[in-house]
Amino acid sequence: IPGDATVLTPEMVTLAELTADDLDRIVEAIPGGTANIADIYPLAPLQEGIFFHHLLDAEQGRDVYILPTVLGFDSRQRVDEFITALQRVVDRHDILRTAVLWENLSQPLQVVQRRAPLRVEEVALTRSPGDDATALLLEACPASMDIRQAPMLDVTITQDTRDADGDRWLMALRSHHLTRDHQALEILLDEVRAHLEHEEGRLAEPAPYRDFVAYSRLAVSAEQHRTYFERVLGDVEEPTAPYGVLDTHGDGSETGETVVELAAEVAERLRAQTRRHGVSAAAFFHLAWARVAAATTGQTHPVFGTVLLGRMDAGGTAHRTPGLYINTLPIRIDATQTLDQGLGTVQAQLGELLAHEHAPLALAQQVTSLPAQSPLFTSLLNYRHSPAAASAQVDLPESENVGIEILYASERTNYPLTVSVDDTGVGFRFVVQAVAPMDSGVVCGLFETAVMNLVVGLEERSGMVLDRVRVLDDRQRELVLSGWNDTAREVPATTLPDLFEAQAARTPDAAAMVFGSGTEREALSYAELNARANRLAHLLMAEGVGPEDLVAICLPRSVDLVVSLLAVVKAGAAYLPLDPDYPVERLAATLADGRPMALITTSTTTDAGLGAGIGMRRVVLDDPAVSGVLSGMSVVDPVRSGHRPEHPAYVIYTSGSTGRPKGVVVAHEGVVNRLAWMQEDYGL
């Protein structure tokens, strides 16, 4: 947009189709109006995802993507000099002078301001003995950040009153992930150092962030992205969620972090294997994380996110320009292939994925068969080349400017499990961030063990399959197989009806069940309940019902419901409970899948046509004919010929993780085992 423009016109905005009304709303929202607007363009792909989570978090007064860094200074003068240098860096880069506007607009837009003064706030902290000044300072920072105001960067400073000389200061430098990635913070601090040391002349001309936005949105068509992801992810039906943790909207408050250096000897052997196979270390670590993802989900083709740098194709001096260039996209790895095959295919997949590194994650999600609102994956692998002193923290560049140090730096994502691999060029460091109830130390141990065993498997050239690589070390394996599994108890080899009939014989007059209240109250003793269930069981057996048969029961909560459940297992069959409040389509689908021999119901509970076409006998309890037959049936316990504890007791249909009902069979021995555990655990 021309610097002397007094009115904005749609022709000045080349990357977005805006109306004059849109531009008027933008001008009204920006301090200084038209004269302070340098450019307008859409969000890059990862910015779109972060923006989505920002809006979700803002509703709950939080934002996981506000990234804090705390610095220490040995004087107030150094603080002021740093802030002055930081403002000059903001003035240099359009991404640091950017606000995001979306209200009453057809799409979220980045608006670059010509001037964006830093927001600096000084606070006084009240510290008690043992208090952490860094934590107190972060708590004193504003709770949120208004991304509609540029820069998306703020500074909070305080004097460290506990310092003996009284001259130490702390600064919380917070930036929003919409404007930076890990490398961008390093670039920003390096430019601040250059200004502090009057070396700004060595800084390269900044790359306009609009060029990256244009490239990321236009270089590869949405249809090409869609075709690729349909091939890779089209048959995915359930999320890959380690430990079953599905929440991708957390605020990171329950996040634990574990950092581990890979042993130098293992790192050397690892590089030898990657050279032998002609692949990158990145391919190796993606294969290793695929093994852990498979082990913690039970899936053979796990999907997880991989972080793509995005700077290589951004052109010009993007590698020295702050901004958000990375993207997170899914990779799917077959854990049933051999290690040699796996390295080759992962290397090829990563190369192929690079052609789509600027695709929106939402597009990849859309081509799957996942239920709506289900995440495609909940774990992230971030492989990054780092300096020799690499860590999850960021270090100040080599500087003569002593008296400034980084005390704390934090990066979080909305994913509950993130694994970062820092490749120092010699060794490797793992940083695992895991949200409770996951344990970052446990996950880091699984990953480290998988890496070491993967190296051994490749060295031995045994043709080992990936899902056979051990992820548990000897101590963990012993704990899982023996420690946690030391639960052996003497449990009777019997069935549920056998247990009930024995109880009825012991306490025939004791109350077995009570239903309702007042005049509607109905109570049955064990003898009465046993007798009613026996009559219905004999009727079912007369119809041919026996062991391993399935009988559906669709009744409202009532005495008849309990009688029917008990009668089915007394007949030796398994019951299939159907909730009368479920939609008839779901009931019909369950019956069609389970194909029971009979359906127990009433004339008012289900449609007479339910289950038609599957050869199912209907036992309608309020039918006078059925009532008449029941009254003549024996009340003696039936003889269940050939009925064994391993036979099914019931089948329960659950939605599972796919949204489609799945039948789960529970055997009598499982029910009896649980009852025995309850007796022991509850002291019954």
Side-chain angles (χ1 to χ4, degrees):
I1 296 173
D4 58 354
T6 56
V7 177
L8 297 188
T9 63
E11 294 75 21
M12 295 178 181
V13 182
T14 57
L15 293 180
E17 295 183 3
L18 300 180
T19 65
D21 288 341
D22 291 332
L23 292 172
D24 288 343
R25 294 188 189 99
I26 293 171
V27 168
E28 186 178 346
I30 297 299
T34 301
N36 196 28
I37 299 176
D39 210 343
I40 302 172
Y41 41 79
L43 274 62
L46 185 61
Q47 285 181 309
E48 291 178 340
I50 292 173
F51 174 72
F52 169 77
H53 285 284
H54 168 81
L55 293 184
L56 284 180
D57 290 344
E59 295 175 0
Q60 304 177 45
R62 66 190 190 196
D63 193 342
V64 71
Y65 283 115
I66 297 175
L67 309 177
T69 303
V70 177
L71 301 99
F73 298 82
D74 63 2
S75 70
R76 176 57 190 259
Q77 180 181 346
R78 288 196 190 278
V79 172
D80 294 338
E81 290 171 349
F82 187 96
I83 292 172
T84 300
L86 182 59
Q87 181 66 65
R88 290 175 180 166
V89 176
V90 170
D91 295 341
R92 273 175 45 82
H93 298 287
D94 54 4
I95 187 63
L96 299 180
R97 291 179 278 106
T98 293
V100 174
L101 303 182
W102 68 93
E103 294 158 315
N104 299 316
L105 298 172
S106 58
Q107 62 177 316
L109 294 168
Q110 304 190 74
V111 181
V112 181
Q113 298 179 192
R114 299 189 188 279
R115 296 171 302 281
L118 274 168
R119 293 180 293 279
V120 180
E121 182 178 358
E122 183 175 339
V123 297
L125 301 181
T126 302
R127 292 181 61 185
S128 301
D131 283 348
D132 183 347
T134 295
L136 289 176
L137 177 58
L138 291 175
E139 288 176 7
C141 291
S144 59
M145 183 177 289
D146 189 352
I147 64 174
R148 296 169 297 184
Q149 297 182 20
M152 285 182 258
L153 188 73
D154 62 32
V155 170
T156 304
I157 61 175
T158 189
Q159 187 174 18
D160 188 353
T161 56
R162 299 280 297 280
D163 180 55
D165 298 328
D167 213 17
R168 180 171 171 77
W169 287 75
L170 301 178
M171 173 190 292
L173 170 62
R174 306 190 313 156
S175 55
H176 203 283
H177 199 13
L178 280 165
T179 63
R180 78 158 178 91
D181 51 28
H182 184 87
Q183 187 174 347
L185 180 59
E186 297 175 350
I187 295 170
L188 183 145
L189 292 176
D190 181 54
E191 291 207 1
V192 168
R193 183 195 68 79
H195 282 280
L196 289 173
E197 298 180 357
H198 309 292
E199 296 179 353
E200 55 266 37
R202 70 170 174 79
L203 300 177
E205 188 68 22
Y209 193 66
R210 71 169 350 263
D211 293 354
F212 171 70
V213 172
Y215 178 82
S216 66
R217 297 177 70 91
L218 303 175
V220 179
S221 70
E223 192 53 42
Q224 289 173 300
H225 290 319
R226 182 178 296 276
T227 299
Y228 169 74
F229 286 115
E230 280 179 343
R231 173 167 59 83
V232 176
L233 305 169
D235 60 341
V236 173
E237 295 184 340
E238 57 183 320
T240 301
Y243 300 102
V245 177
L246 288 164
D247 184 12
T248 57
H249 304 309
D251 63 359
S253 60
E254 299 296 321
T255 300
E257 180 174 284
T258 299
V259 181
V260 170
E261 292 275 359
L262 186 64
E265 177 262 341
V266 177
E268 186 176 338
R269 290 161 56 197
L270 187 159
R271 291 196 189 276
Q273 290 305 311
T274 58
R275 288 193 296 269
R276 181 170 74 84
H277 287 83
V279 301
S280 65
F284 178 95
F285 285 110
H286 279 77
L287 194 66
W289 182 247
R291 174 63 191 114
V292 178
T296 53
T297 62
Q299 296 183 10
T300 58
H301 291 70
V303 180
F304 55 90
T306 183
V307 177
L308 301 166
L309 294 181
R311 291 178 184 267
M312 288 189 296
D313 292 328
T317 56
H319 67 291
R320 294 299 308 151
T321 302
L324 183 67
Y325 289 87
I326 62 173
N327 196 12
T328 299
L329 288 176
I331 185 169
R332 189 184 190 196
I333 296 176
D334 180 0
T336 66
Q337 58 190 327
T338 66
L339 305 187
D340 290 347
Q341 291 171 333
L343 280 179
T345 57
V346 171
Q347 179 82 1
Q349 280 180 269
L350 289 173
E352 195 173 12
L353 192 60
L354 279 177
H356 302 276
E357 67 175 336
H358 301 303
L361 178 57
L363 185 150
Q365 174 103 3
Q366 290 166 7
V367 305
T368 70
S369 301
L370 286 164
Q373 308 305 318
S374 293
L376 175 56
F377 55 86
T378 62
S379 71
L380 192 67
L381 179 70
N382 185 5
Y383 173 85
R384 56 200 184 195
H385 293 280
S386 302
S391 71
Q393 309 292 319
V394 176
D395 294 321
L396 279 171
E398 289 293 331
S399 172
E400 299 173 4
N401 200 59
V402 294
I404 304 176
E405 60 178 329
I406 287 189
L407 304 176
Y408 172 85
S410 175
E411 294 180 352
R412 292 284 185 266
T413 75
N414 60 290
Y415 294 100
L417 182 55
T418 300
V419 179
S420 298
V421 178
D422 287 308
D423 184 341
T424 70
V426 178
F428 301 96
R429 174 175 292 187
F430 308 149
V431 183
V432 176
Q433 294 177 335
V435 173
M438 291 184 289
D439 186 310
S440 61
V442 170
V443 175
C444 197
L446 298 181
F447 187 52
E448 186 179 18
T449 302
V451 166
M452 292 189 292
N453 287 329
L454 193 53
V455 169
V456 172
L458 290 168
E459 289 173 336
E460 293 178 346
R461 308 189 186 193
S462 60
M464 178 184 288
V465 173
L466 180 60
D467 66 7
R468 295 290 90 195
V469 173
R470 284 177 51 179
V471 298
L472 298 175
D473 61 27
D474 292 339
R475 183 192 61 81
Q476 292 169 324
R477 184 177 174 83
E478 177 65 21
L479 180 63
V480 171
L481 294 181
S482 301
W484 288 342
N485 206 35
D486 185 17
T487 59
R489 300 290 188 276
E490 288 295 327
V491 177
T494 186
T495 64
L496 187 57
D498 289 335
L499 289 178
F500 181 83
E501 289 164 2
Q503 182 67 27
R506 282 193 299 272
T507 59
D509 298 325
M513 65 174 297
V514 177
F515 179 74
S517 60
T519 58
E520 302 295 324
R521 185 176 186 274
E522 187 175 2
L524 293 181
S525 67
Y526 271 96
E528 291 168 332
L529 177 56
N530 197 44
R532 286 184 57 172
N534 282 343
R535 287 194 176 98
L536 182 53
H538 283 296
L539 185 150
L540 294 172
M541 295 173 76
E543 294 290 336
V545 171
E548 298 192 89
D549 289 330
L550 190 60
V551 175
I553 300 174
C554 190
L555 293 169
R557 186 175 293 270
S558 60
V559 170
D560 279 341
L561 174 60
V562 178
V563 168
S564 299
L565 295 172
L566 188 54
V568 171
V569 293
K570 276 175 163 286
Y575 61 80
L576 168 60
L578 300 175
D579 190 332
D581 292 332
Y582 277 176
V584 66
E585 294 80 8
R586 171 150 183 168
L587 297 178
T590 302
L591 290 172
D593 187 67
R595 305 190 70 81
M597 279 190 66
L599 168 64
I600 301 175
T601 187
T602 68
S603 58
T604 59
T605 302
T606 58
D607 191 307
L610 184 66
I614 62 174
M616 181 179 63
R617 167 87 158 84
R618 294 176 67 89
V619 179
V620 182
L621 295 181
D622 59 352
D623 184 333
V626 173
S627 300
V629 173
L630 279 173
S631 64
M633 287 292 174
S634 171
V635 298
V636 176
D637 292 335
V639 177
R640 292 173 290 277
S641 177
H643 194 215
R644 299 191 299 274
E646 62 267 26
H647 283 156
Y650 62 87
V651 174
I652 189 80
Y653 271 76
T654 70
S655 295
S657 56
T658 67
R660 286 190 284 273
K662 292 181 179 180
V664 179
V665 180
V666 180
H668 284 273
E669 58 189 1
V671 181
V672 172
N673 186 69
R674 177 163 181 85
L675 291 172
W677 169 81
M678 289 172 65
Q679 282 182 306
E680 177 182 304
D681 204 58
Y682 299 158
L684 300 178

